[in-house]
Amino acid sequence: MSATVAEYLKLTKPTIMLLVIFTGATALVVEGSMLAQPWRFLLFMVALFLTGGCANSLNQYFERDLDALMSRTAGRRPLPQRRLSPGSALTFSVAIGIAGLVILALFFNWLAALLALATILFYGLFYTLVLKPTTAQNIVIGGAAGAMAPVGAWAAATGTTGWLPWLMFGIIFFWTPPHFWALAIAYKDDYRLTGLPMMPLVRGERSTLRQMLVYAVMLVVTSLLPGLFGAGWVYLAFAATLGLVFLWRSVGALRSGSMERVRGLFRFSILYLFGLFLALLIDSRIANWF
């Protein structure tokens, strides 16, 4: 039983969901109203995991044949390994998606539920079936889905959205291309087998690295904008420091073109986003204390 549960959990892409949960939780802490109602805070986290996991599970369901071709996914995901049937995976995906949407609609508000539904449809269907197979800009456009957690969290807490959650959205949105394209360069041969028009295959590694640097610049600029909406010196100091390191690594990867630098940029990008949102979370608590 535990082994089967673990396979279903893999459908949700738990590593990615950890990032989604953390960015959504950060938005709730910064907004602050749910901190007095821990059960609502936790309930939203459950709903966020269920709806995000639904989108990821649908992605794996539709891409199961492509995943079987790639060394990165063939030995790790349950559908290529035939540890779950496609029908069971689809049923699971739809069930957890409905459960998450019901929680959001009944215990929070319709705006949060509609944003979650839009995210499921956009990533699970439109990105997976339309964008990814047809355009090299797939990850740029599709990155909007992964960036929605702070906006959805803010909507659940307040019934509306504001500038700050959309800035958090912008940070994740501009972070996604350099993060994912670094991975796509590292696994370029895998993606060649699938026939998907990934940027390193369509435009080449050098062009991709140049675009990654452009997005890194936009990311760092966007990361400083929360200072205009109440973020304090703790956050800004971390944002500036982490941003400089991100730019330095992006320039280094472009100049050298070495796979070691590209993989190093990918690893740092994960630490960067967690560090940036952790700084925002800490900064908001310090502001409340004083």
Side-chain angles (χ1 to χ4, degrees):
M1 179 65 72
S2 61
T4 302
V5 171
E7 296 303 323
Y8 279 111
L9 182 62
K10 289 179 184 178
L11 286 176
T12 67
K13 300 183 182 179
T15 304
I16 294 176
M17 285 309 302
L18 179 62
L19 181 60
V20 171
I21 291 293
F22 185 65
T23 56
T26 299
L28 289 185
V29 172
V30 171
E31 193 281 325
S33 63
M34 278 197 201
L35 296 178
Q37 299 174 298
W39 70 271
R40 282 175 58 80
F41 190 107
L42 293 175
L43 188 61
F44 176 78
M45 291 295 101
V46 171
L48 181 59
F49 177 81
L50 292 173
T51 53
C54 168
N56 289 332
S57 299
L58 287 173
N59 173 263
Q60 287 196 51
Y61 168 77
F62 288 117
E63 291 190 345
R64 60 191 184 276
D65 293 334
L66 297 179
D67 284 343
L69 300 175
M70 299 176 62
S71 62
R72 184 175 68 88
T73 54
R76 298 171 55 191
R77 294 184 175 176
L79 290 176
Q81 293 178 307
R82 300 184 183 277
R83 294 184 177 178
L84 293 175
S85 70
S88 297
L90 181 60
T91 301
F92 171 78
S93 304
V94 173
I96 63 172
I98 291 174
L101 292 172
V102 169
I103 290 173
L104 290 172
L106 291 182
F107 294 95
F108 297 95
N109 52 68
W110 282 102
L111 177 59
L114 289 174
L115 288 173
L117 176 60
T119 301
I120 292 171
L121 296 177
F122 184 77
Y123 183 80
L125 300 180
F126 184 65
Y127 166 76
T128 301
L129 299 177
V130 180
L131 288 178
K132 198 169 181 179
T134 59
T135 173
Q137 295 293 327
N138 46 28
I139 194 60
V140 177
I141 305 168
M148 281 301 297
V151 180
W154 204 279
T158 67
T160 185
T161 62
W163 282 104
L164 189 52
W166 282 112
L167 284 177
M168 295 183 203
F169 169 94
I171 289 169
I172 304 170
F173 181 81
F174 289 127
W175 168 85
T176 302
H179 167 75
F180 191 85
W181 280 339
L183 182 69
I185 290 174
Y187 287 94
K188 186 173 67 173
D189 291 339
D190 262 7
Y191 282 111
R192 184 177 285 110
L193 293 174
T194 67
L196 294 172
M198 305 308 292
M199 188 63 71
L201 297 173
V202 174
R203 298 290 298 275
E205 290 184 20
R206 295 294 296 174
S207 175
T208 303
L209 288 166
R210 284 193 292 268
Q211 293 182 67
M212 287 164 61
L213 179 57
V214 171
Y215 277 102
V217 171
M218 292 190 287
L219 166 62
V220 173
V221 171
T222 305
S223 73
L224 297 174
L225 294 181
L228 301 176
F229 298 92
W233 66 268
V234 172
Y235 169 76
L236 291 175
F238 271 89
T241 303
L242 290 169
L244 287 174
V245 176
F246 201 105
L247 291 174
W248 174 72
R249 285 181 172 270
S250 298
V251 171
L254 175 59
R255 285 180 174 175
S256 71
S258 74
M259 196 56 61
E260 181 181 356
R261 290 289 187 94
V262 171
R263 289 180 182 274
L265 176 59
F266 171 76
R267 290 190 294 268
F268 177 76
S269 69
I270 299 171
L271 296 175
Y272 170 87
L273 196 63
F274 271 107
L276 195 66
F277 273 78
L278 179 61
L280 189 59
L281 188 154
I282 293 172
D283 187 90
S284 70
R285 291 298 87 205
I286 291 175
N288 283 334
W289 291 337
F290 293 100

